């Protein structure tokens, strides 16, 4: 029998800071305790949420069933030679802490992903990305508990089926795998990725022409802090909507009416539109609706000013979706997951 905690307050475990109560909660740090907990979940048919850093979740007030938090820790270098370094990290490690640790160790590739909230185990689920880099670029493989077979399995990059803010864990097989350890393929030689215009411009503006890894890491932190709210200060779940990808003809249709539209060519004959721009143009930036609202420095981020609830936030999200659809004919998809559905 696992020692579940009852009626646990998860206010500090979701970055929106909603007051949420879990019927049962358990933190696990060994496969054995995970197996026992899952056995009970299955025997009792409890709904189950695997909780990471809680930074990409919109939780309702009460979570019936069970919540399991994976607490595997540790950063280990498995291979380190001239051409490659493979590092294995526990799913329960804090993502930003891990990126900082790699910087200290002189292992490179993830600097552009500094300051993304959440845990390592959640990062592959939505293939986190920022400033021209996404997790998939440095991903090697992972170890997960497969609830279907009851075994620990190793999944390669191909098997994870990464896409824009997407993976097998999100789309094709949600709920099947519990990510336990993640391995990254890094390099001891630093090669800056400055493909994101804003990053390059920022570095030039502070007089850095040939940035080292610390410069890039620091610049990313500073840009994020200037544009995105810190969850411990203002509750939020990062980008609340995905940037919509539309066929070229639709892009041209919108561009004709709105010449300042921000968009980037995407996969063949498609464009990725900046959802933040669409929401901003629809007049939502800085809007408040009771305790929730739209962040005043980045319209793509919805915030909880304190005391807000899931219902309030989803009502606001729906109003924004309707207004963007009405104005531009584009439908916005939510990025964070709502639980329970
Ligand atoms: N824009 C506006 N008004 C706004 C917000 C944005 O006009 O209120 C315009 C900007 O001027 C810019 C464009 O929209 O030209 C894109 O904005 P930004 O560069 O801030 O990036 P984003 O597309 O809004 C994405 C990711 C972020 C990531 C940044 C940086 C998604 C959904 N979001 O945001 O990821 O940090 O790029 O790479 O892909 C997250 O997923 O939680 C997240 C923060």
């Amino acid at each position: 029998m696992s020692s579940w905690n009852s009626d646990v307050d998860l206010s500090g475990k979701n970055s929106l800071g909603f007051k949420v109560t879990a019927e049962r909660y358990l933190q696990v740090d060994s496969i054995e305790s995970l197996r026992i907990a899952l056995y009970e979940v299955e025997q009792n048919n409890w709904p189950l949420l695997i909780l990471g850093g809680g930074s990409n979740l919109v939780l309702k007030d009460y979570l019936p069933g069970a919540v399991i938090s994976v607490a595997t820790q540790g950063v280990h270098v498995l291979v380190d030679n001239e051409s490659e370094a493979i590092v294995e990290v526990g799913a329960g490690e804090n993502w930003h802490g891990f990126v900082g640790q790699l910087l200290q160790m002189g292992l490179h590739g993830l600097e552009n992903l500094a300051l993304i909230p959440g845990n390592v185990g959640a990062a592959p689920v939505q293939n986190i990305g920022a400033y021209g880099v996404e997790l998939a670029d440095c991903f090697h493989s992972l170890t997960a508990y497969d609830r279907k077979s009851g075994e620990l399995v190793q999944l390669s990059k191909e098997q994870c089926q990464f896409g824009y803010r997407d993976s097998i864990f999100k789309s094709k097989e949600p709920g099947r795998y519990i990510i336990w350890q993640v391995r990254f393929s890094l390099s001891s030689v630093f090669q800056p990725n400055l493909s994101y215009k804003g990053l390059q411009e920022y570095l030039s503006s502070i007089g850095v022409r040939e940035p080292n890894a610390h410069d890039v890491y620091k610049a990313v932190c500073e840009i994020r802090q200037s544009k995105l709210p810190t969850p411990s200060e203002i509750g939020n779940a990062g980008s609340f909507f995905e940037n919509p990808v539309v066929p070229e003809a639709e892009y041209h249709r919108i561009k004709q009416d709105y010449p300042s539209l921000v968009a980037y060519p995407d996969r063949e004959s498609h464009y990725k539109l900046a959802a933040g721009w669409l929401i901003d143009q629809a007049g939502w930036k800085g809007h408040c609706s009771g305790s929730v609202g739209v962040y005043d420095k980045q319209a793509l981020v919805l915030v909880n000013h304190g005391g807000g609830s899931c219902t309030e936030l989803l009502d606001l999200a729906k109003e924004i979706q309707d207004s963007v659809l009405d104005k531009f004919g584009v439908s916005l998809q939510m990025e964070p997951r709502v639980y329970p559905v």
Side-chain angles (χ1 to χ4, degrees):
M1 284 272 287
S2 306
S3 31
W4 297 94
N5 296 298
S6 304
D7 293 327
V8 174
D9 174 19
L10 298 184
S11 309
K13 293 192 189 307
N14 73 100
S15 64
L16 273 160
F18 288 154
K19 196 178 172 328
V20 174
T21 305
E23 187 178 4
R24 270 175 220 85
Y25 174 83
L26 185 69
Q27 197 165 312
V28 296
D29 58 7
S30 74
I31 284 292
E32 208 31 54
S33 52
L34 177 66
R35 272 188 210 280
I36 297 169
L38 288 174
Y39 178 77
E40 285 179 82
V41 166
E42 275 147 31
Q43 287 298 302
N44 294 291
N45 232 346
W46 291 328
L48 172 66
L49 171 69
I50 301 292
L51 184 64
S55 60
N56 204 43
L57 277 174
V58 181
L59 299 177
K60 296 189 177 167
D61 301 353
Y62 186 70
L63 314 185
V67 174
I68 294 179
S69 161
V70 173
T72 18
Q73 301 288 308
V75 176
H76 303 285
V77 178
L78 304 184
V79 174
D80 190 2
N81 58 40
E82 267 168 37
S83 56
E84 180 183 48
I86 299 176
V87 174
E88 181 173 79
V89 52
E93 290 279 353
N94 172 268
W95 175 265
H96 177 63
F98 169 58
V99 173
Q101 222 171 313
L102 292 177
L103 189 67
Q104 299 305 323
M105 293 159 77
L107 296 176
H108 307 297
L110 295 175
E111 292 81 2
N112 297 40
L113 304 185
L115 223 55
I116 294 185
N119 287 359
V120 167
V125 177
Q126 59 149 349
N127 184 20
I128 56 169
Y131 308 106
V133 174
E134 56 182 25
L135 170 129
D137 298 334
C138 293
F139 180 87
H140 181 275
S141 57
L142 59 74
T143 303
Y145 180 85
D146 180 1
R147 294 184 67 196
K148 204 163 161 184
S149 66
E151 300 294 337
L152 271 187
V153 293
Q154 315 290 324
L155 299 181
S156 68
K157 185 166 159 179
E158 289 65 38
Q159 288 171 307
C160 293
Q161 298 176 29
F162 293 120
Y164 166 62
R165 292 296 191 277
D166 196 26
S167 72
I168 188 172
F169 313 107
K170 187 168 166 184
S171 313
K172 297 238 176 73
E173 302 269 12
R176 174 168 172 185
Y177 297 104
I178 297 174
I179 297 172
W180 198 250
Q181 277 162 329
V182 186
R183 286 172 291 280
F184 292 93
S185 181
L186 304 159
S187 169
S188 52
V189 181
F190 177 64
Q191 275 184 331
N193 180 330
L194 304 178
S195 58
Y196 185 87
K197 219 171 91 218
L199 179 58
Q200 197 170 32
E201 283 169 359
Y202 180 83
L203 284 161
S204 307
S205 77
I206 56 168
V208 178
R209 292 202 199 295
E210 284 180 24
N212 62 29
H214 286 266
D215 295 328
V216 171
Y217 171 88
K218 206 161 153 259
V220 167
C221 291
E222 280 162 10
I223 298 173
R224 282 192 82 92
Q225 278 159 341
S226 71
K227 278 196 187 173
L228 299 165
T230 307
S232 57
E233 290 162 15
I234 305 174
N236 75 90
S239 298
F240 203 82
F241 300 100
E242 292 176 1
N243 286 329
V245 176
V246 301
E248 203 171 348
E250 201 177 337
Y251 159 74
H252 287 302
R253 173 187 63 75
I254 306 169
K255 185 85 178 165
Q256 201 159 35
D257 293 341
Y258 302 93
S260 63
L261 171 69
V262 180
Y264 314 91
D266 201 65
R267 60 191 155 81
E268 216 178 300
S269 315
H270 283 72
Y271 275 78
K272 187 180 273 176
L273 313 182
W277 184 90
L278 297 171
I279 299 167
D280 190 353
Q281 293 295 309
W284 289 99
K285 199 170 186 166
H287 172 92
C288 274
S289 177
S291 307
V292 298
V294 179
Y295 192 50
D296 57 1
K297 295 190 194 114
Q298 163 59 289
L300 193 49
V301 177
L302 302 194
V303 294
N304 171 21
H305 292 292
S309 69
C310 176
T311 315
E312 269 182 288
L313 195 73
L314 294 182
D315 286 350
L316 173 61
K318 176 80 174 59
E319 276 187 72
I320 294 172
Q321 283 168 319
D322 288 349
S323 106
V324 167
L325 185 62
D326 194 47
K327 189 172 168 82
F328 300 104
V330 173
S331 63
L332 293 180
Q333 301 301 320
M334 268 181 60
E335 195 191 270
R337 172 180 170 210
V338 180
Y339 183 86
V341 195

